[in-house]
């Protein structure tokens, strides 16, 4: 465990101290992260023209759909010559159209907000960056405000495009510990234009098999995992006790005994007690812990919780991985196996059915 990260010795004064505008301006000038004039002008135009006009169109469409629905329902109610089934069917159709408009507006609004955040239309929060810079300097850490094209060995760093890390704190080049936030643009397998995570990683004594713990508590709608990967059912491993109520463990085929050696009952209890809201991954000689939401890096409570996980789960994992590495004979040592990413067959099935229907329709027309 890095000595700089002890909770009782950390200096959090910079996170809540008063910040002078002169100091922030000087830090911004020295950082060398200033945008060109054309980029600043483009950002101003987007913020002052594109966003307000888009929101105006969305509000207008919603209001027009609401007025048309209300007017149609009132007209149907005043028409006494129509039958009850016809009235009910027309009313249901209008409500369906209204709900469809509202769903479309909601989806476009979320998509717009994702694009705004992804493309960094708004100016960065230099006050927050300056606080983190001071916090890193006071605790002997290294701070990176933004890293474009940011990649690591974990599963969240291998998906999507336009990867960007931000607010990254570490123990320096070649560090054994790193904490920060990460985002990437969603691909065709994602329903969002932007995915964002908080993460921290800890170096282990040696390389281990690729293991993934998917937390059940932080799943999305319909029980979907927050991780961009999907794993085959043959890679699932059930552990004793109530552990399966908190996590789904995925293990490469042939590494089940290695996983049982690493995940002892005391480590499973610590995971359920301290990290039930996080996804955990072990790949090569790194342990990753993922949050489905970005970390609030200027909030002391964030560090209290992260360091509590490190001091319990992280320390115990270090101990077990050290023993695992010591038991590996150099003669019989093998390269740690990796998990295989499963293929989503849902879109393929839908496309196949649609293609069959289209071919059938074309054959009917040909006759």
């Amino acid at each position: 465990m890095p000595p700089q990260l002890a909770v009782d010795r950390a200096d959090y004064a910079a996170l809540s101290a008063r910040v002078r505008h002169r100091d922030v301006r000087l830090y911004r000038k020295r950082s060398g992260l200033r945008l060109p004039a054309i980029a600043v002008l483009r950002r101003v135009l987007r913020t002052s023209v594109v966003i307000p006009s888009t929101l105006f169109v969305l509000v207008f469409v919603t209001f027009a759909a609401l007025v048309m629905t209300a007017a149609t329902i009132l007209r149907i109610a005043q028409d006494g010559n129509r039958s009850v089934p016809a009235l009910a069917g027309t009313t249901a159709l209008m409500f369906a159209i209204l709900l469809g408009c509202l769903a479309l507006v909601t989806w476009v609004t979320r998509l717009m907000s994702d694009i705004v955040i992804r493309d960094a239309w708004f100016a960065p929060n230099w006050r927050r960056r300056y606080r983190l810079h001071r916090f890193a300097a006071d605790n002997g850490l290294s701070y990176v405000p933004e890293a474009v094209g940011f990649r690591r060995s974990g599963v969240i760093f291998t998906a999507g495009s336009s990867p960007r890390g931000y607010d990254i704190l570490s123990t320096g080049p070649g560090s054994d510990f790193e904490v920060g936030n990460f985002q990437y643009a969603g691909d065709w397998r994602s329903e969002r234009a932007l995915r964002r995570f908080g993460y921290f990683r800890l170096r282990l004594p040696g390389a281990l098999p690729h293991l993934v713990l998917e937390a059940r508590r932080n799943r999305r709608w319909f029980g979907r995992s927050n991780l961009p990967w999907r794993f085959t059912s043959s890679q699932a491993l059930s552990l004793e006790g109530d552990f399966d109520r908190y996590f789904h463990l995925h293990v490469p085929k042939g590494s089940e005994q290695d996983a049982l050696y690493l995940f002892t009952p005391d480590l499973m209890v610590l995971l359920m007690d301290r990290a039930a809201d996080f996804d955990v991954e072990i790949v090569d000689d790194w342990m990753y812990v993922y949050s489905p939401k970005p970390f609030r890096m200027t909030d002391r409570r964030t560090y209290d919780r992260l360091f509590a996980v490190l001091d319990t789960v992280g320390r115990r994992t270090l101990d077990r991985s050290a023993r695992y590495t010591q038991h590996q004979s150099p003669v019989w040592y093998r390269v740690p196996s990796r998990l295989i990413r499963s293929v989503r067959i849902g879109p393929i099935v839908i496309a196949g059915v649609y293609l069959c229907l289209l071919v059938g329709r074309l054959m009917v027309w040909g006759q």
Side-chain angles (χ1 to χ4, degrees):
M1 187 68 59
Q4 299 96 326
L5 300 177
V7 182
D8 54 348
R9 295 197 300 268
D11 185 0
Y12 298 97
L15 299 179
S16 57
R18 183 179 178 181
V19 176
R20 295 185 299 179
H21 180 69
R22 182 181 61 183
D23 296 334
V24 176
R25 186 171 66 251
L26 183 61
Y27 167 72
R28 180 178 181 180
K29 183 178 180 180
R30 291 178 176 177
S31 65
L33 296 176
R34 302 180 63 181
L35 292 175
I38 186 64
V40 175
L41 179 60
R42 189 183 299 114
R43 176 175 292 172
V44 171
L45 290 176
R46 286 173 175 176
T47 306
S48 59
V49 177
V50 177
I51 297 177
S53 59
T54 304
L55 294 178
F56 174 78
V57 171
L58 292 177
V59 172
F60 177 79
V61 170
T62 305
F63 180 75
L66 181 62
V67 171
M68 291 178 60
T69 302
T72 303
I73 293 175
L74 290 175
R75 184 174 179 180
I76 292 174
Q78 293 175 358
D79 189 0
N81 297 327
R82 303 189 64 176
S83 61
V84 175
L87 292 174
T90 306
T91 304
L93 177 62
M94 294 307 300
F95 271 114
I97 294 175
L98 176 60
L99 291 177
C101 291
L102 292 176
L104 178 62
V105 168
T106 302
W107 180 77
V108 172
T109 303
R110 190 182 71 172
L111 182 66
M112 188 68 185
S113 64
D114 285 347
I115 294 175
V116 167
I117 299 174
R118 184 192 68 190
D119 296 341
W121 286 12
F122 296 110
N125 190 332
W126 286 100
R127 186 177 296 270
R128 185 190 74 244
R129 290 184 173 184
Y130 177 72
R131 287 184 184 276
L132 291 174
H133 166 73
R134 288 286 307 275
F135 173 72
D138 293 342
N139 292 276
L141 301 174
S142 175
Y143 171 59
V144 178
E146 183 178 8
V148 180
F150 187 75
R151 290 297 188 186
R152 291 290 184 262
S153 56
V155 294
I156 68 171
F157 303 97
T158 62
S161 59
S162 303
R164 185 172 72 93
Y166 58 98
D167 293 344
I168 303 170
L169 294 172
S170 66
T171 51
S175 64
D176 296 331
F177 174 80
E178 183 178 272
V179 59
N181 295 317
F182 174 74
Q183 71 176 39
Y184 66 84
D187 52 16
W188 65 273
R189 292 178 293 269
S190 177
E191 77 282 2
R192 301 203 62 171
L194 179 71
R195 294 295 309 278
R196 296 199 294 170
F197 299 87
Y199 80 95
F200 71 81
R201 67 174 191 161
L202 180 67
R203 188 185 296 274
L204 301 175
L208 302 175
H210 191 190
L211 309 174
V212 173
L213 285 172
E214 286 186 300
R216 303 187 63 178
R217 186 178 296 180
N218 64 12
R219 286 181 171 265
R220 293 181 289 168
W221 293 357
F222 308 108
R224 299 183 61 187
S225 172
N226 282 289
L227 300 179
W229 278 31
R230 299 294 180 270
F231 305 100
T232 62
S233 58
S234 62
Q235 299 175 136
L237 178 63
S238 178
L239 297 180
E240 60 183 11
D242 296 333
F243 191 76
D244 291 343
R245 295 174 51 189
Y246 292 85
F247 294 97
H248 288 308
L249 175 60
H250 302 283
V251 181
K253 190 174 182 180
S255 300
E256 292 80 4
Q257 293 300 321
D258 300 326
L260 294 176
Y261 180 85
L262 291 171
F263 291 100
T264 56
D266 56 344
L267 179 56
M268 290 190 292
V269 171
L270 290 175
L271 285 167
M272 291 185 291
D273 184 45
R274 297 287 187 176
D277 295 332
F278 299 121
D279 298 302
V280 182
E281 179 185 12
I282 295 177
V283 54
D284 296 331
D285 58 343
W286 287 100
M287 171 185 174
Y288 290 88
V289 176
Y290 305 122
S291 169
K293 296 181 180 179
F295 291 138
R296 299 181 61 182
M297 300 297 291
T298 55
D299 189 353
R300 176 171 178 173
R301 291 173 295 182
T302 299
Y303 298 97
D304 290 340
R305 188 178 185 192
L306 292 181
F307 293 159
V309 174
L310 277 173
D311 203 33
T312 54
V313 177
R315 190 179 299 276
R316 187 57 181 163
T317 305
L318 282 172
D319 178 65
R320 295 303 301 172
S321 60
R323 295 186 181 184
Y324 176 86
T325 305
Q326 292 173 1
H327 283 81
Q328 294 295 316
S329 173
V331 179
W332 298 102
Y333 180 78
R334 55 188 174 84
V335 178
S337 53
R338 293 295 186 96
L339 287 167
I340 300 175
R341 187 175 186 174
S342 67
V343 179
R344 292 186 179 181
I345 63 174
I348 299 177
V349 172
I350 294 176
V353 172
Y354 176 78
L355 182 61
C356 292
L357 293 176
L358 180 61
V359 171
R361 178 61 65 180
L362 293 176
M363 293 177 63
V364 171
W365 287 347
Q367 297 176 356

